[in-house]
Amino acid sequence: MSGFNALQAVENAAGQFEQVMVQREIDQLPAGELLVRVKYSSLNYKDALSASGNRGVTRSFPHTPGIDAAGVVEASAVAEFGVGDEVIVTGYDLGMNTSGGFAQYIRIPAAWALKRPKGLSLREAMLLGTAGLTAALCVDKLEQAGMTPDAGPVLVTGATGGVGSIAVVLLNTLGYRVAASTGKAEQAVFLKGLGAQEIVSRAELLEGVERPVLKERWGGAVDTVGGDILVNVLKSLRYGSSAACCGLTAGVALNGSVLPFILRGVNLLGVDSVELPLVVKASMWDRLSLQWKLDLEPLVTELGLAELPQAIGRILAGQQVGRVLVNLD
């Protein structure tokens, strides 16, 4: 088998990280039961951190990022998968310390892969990717905690990002009134096109950060940013409502008060899509292929491997809007 294309993050002589296109060989991939020819991947914030040398995500370099991959099995050492099976891989160690989806081939443990649901193409699966899976998990967890469309408007923070934009589409599809928060005022038309009925500025969500509680406003929230914004969201939840937290772009500290919890009975729900048991991921992917199937084309930019370095720069600068689909076909 000839070499294949991959995007690698490398550290140069000056100690700076850059992304370069390289040719790799199959025998350079890590051990694993499945060899997968990657057709599509997607760009996530964690990929950008890995690609820029963040050792909290990736310990050693050169490294191929890409926490998402969808493709076709080319070799299998297990009975559960056969050559030609179409599979989705998201999370676990893919793209972190295991060579990831920004390459035409990956080799992985079979326990990381699930067969493509019949209701989704490989391309549609990567329009969703980790971002779509995370958004769906957030909404599901909120509904399990009692959120309904008549509970009040649902706030989505970081709404122009991958998770946020898909959450806006999903919530609107399910009949919720969606308030979308962003620091990009120029993206109001984009967000309203996705289904947001209300646009809330990032500055507005930071008002009253010194106060222990704020006026009750939200019937639920999907928070993708963390930090003081999440603290203020918790202070603004209606009685008995919940916020699902899945991101940290605004910081990891939670400098708040217990008062919203003990005076209003609100809930802070943590959402992880990385180490989630595969059976739970499979159940959510099935839902995304059927009852929760979404039209995400309006929020997608499709790129090839060679165009990824520019997109990585944009996402690190907070300039990326919507989803970036990576076409490796």
Side-chain angles (χ1 to χ4, degrees):
M1 186 181 292
S2 60
F4 62 91
N5 294 325
L7 185 79
Q8 283 199 327
V10 300
E11 187 174 8
N12 62 28
Q16 298 171 323
F17 284 86
E18 54 191 5
Q19 301 91 43
V20 297
M21 289 287 293
V22 299
Q23 279 274 305
R24 301 198 73 199
E25 301 295 330
I26 297 297
D27 61 10
Q28 294 176 312
L29 291 172
E33 293 114 345
L34 298 182
L35 177 67
V36 179
R37 169 68 166 92
V38 181
K39 299 292 187 178
Y40 294 97
S41 183
S42 71
L43 175 63
N44 301 277
Y45 185 66
K46 187 181 287 186
D47 299 319
L49 292 177
S50 173
S52 58
N54 186 309
R55 295 189 188 275
V57 177
T58 300
R59 292 188 295 271
S60 62
F61 297 86
H63 172 68
T64 300
I67 63 172
D68 290 343
V72 181
V73 173
E74 292 219 348
S76 172
V78 295
E80 295 88 345
F81 294 93
V83 173
D85 283 349
E86 295 190 346
V87 295
I88 301 169
V89 189
T90 63
Y92 304 116
D93 194 51
L94 185 72
M96 296 177 65
N97 295 292
T98 299
S99 186
F102 293 169
Q104 290 176 311
Y105 284 90
I106 57 173
R107 190 155 51 199
I108 57 164
W112 293 2
L114 59 89
K115 292 184 181 179
R116 173 185 61 81
K118 291 181 180 178
L120 289 174
S121 67
L122 291 176
R123 184 177 187 278
E124 288 171 330
M126 287 297 98
L127 296 183
L128 290 158
T130 287
L133 178 62
T134 303
L137 290 166
C138 286
V139 174
D140 178 63
K141 208 159 196 178
L142 287 167
E143 291 194 333
Q144 287 188 41
M147 186 181 76
T148 60
D150 60 6
V154 181
L155 176 70
V156 178
T157 67
T160 61
V163 177
S165 57
I166 296 175
V168 170
V169 175
L170 176 56
L171 286 163
N172 176 66
T173 301
L174 296 177
Y176 290 89
R177 177 176 176 82
V178 184
S181 172
T182 180
K184 305 180 179 74
E186 71 279 6
Q187 297 299 331
V189 173
F190 168 75
L191 289 170
K192 288 184 176 180
L194 299 184
Q197 288 94 351
E198 181 182 355
I199 307 299
V200 183
S201 72
R202 182 187 301 157
E204 181 180 343
L205 284 190
L206 287 169
E207 292 174 3
V209 71
E210 72 287 349
R211 296 172 58 189
V213 291
L214 297 168
K215 180 181 177 181
E216 293 185 41
R217 189 171 180 183
W218 313 116
V222 174
D223 176 69
T224 73
V225 298
D228 285 344
I229 287 178
L230 173 57
V231 172
N232 269 8
V233 168
L234 292 168
K235 297 176 193 175
S236 307
L237 287 173
R238 295 186 180 185
Y239 190 93
S241 296
S242 305
C245 166
C246 64
L248 47 68
T249 56
V252 297
L254 200 64
N255 299 315
S257 158
V258 298
L259 288 181
F261 300 99
I262 62 177
L263 295 180
R264 294 179 181 165
V266 304
N267 305 294
L268 175 57
L269 310 172
V271 174
D272 166 64
S273 65
V274 179
E275 294 297 335
L276 201 65
L278 194 65
V279 64
V280 182
K281 287 188 180 183
S283 175
M284 192 55 63
W285 278 109
D286 284 341
R287 187 180 295 185
L288 286 165
S289 73
L290 296 168
Q291 310 101 299
W292 285 10
K293 187 162 185 182
L294 305 171
D295 176 14
L296 300 179
E297 291 294 345
L299 55 83
V300 170
T301 301
E302 187 167 341
L303 302 175
L305 272 183
E307 300 165 284
L308 267 179
Q310 291 75 25
I312 288 166
R314 286 195 298 272
I315 201 169
L316 288 171
Q319 298 170 347
Q320 181 58 48
V321 174
R323 290 283 288 148
V324 175
L325 177 73
V326 185
N327 188 336
L328 295 105
D329 206 2

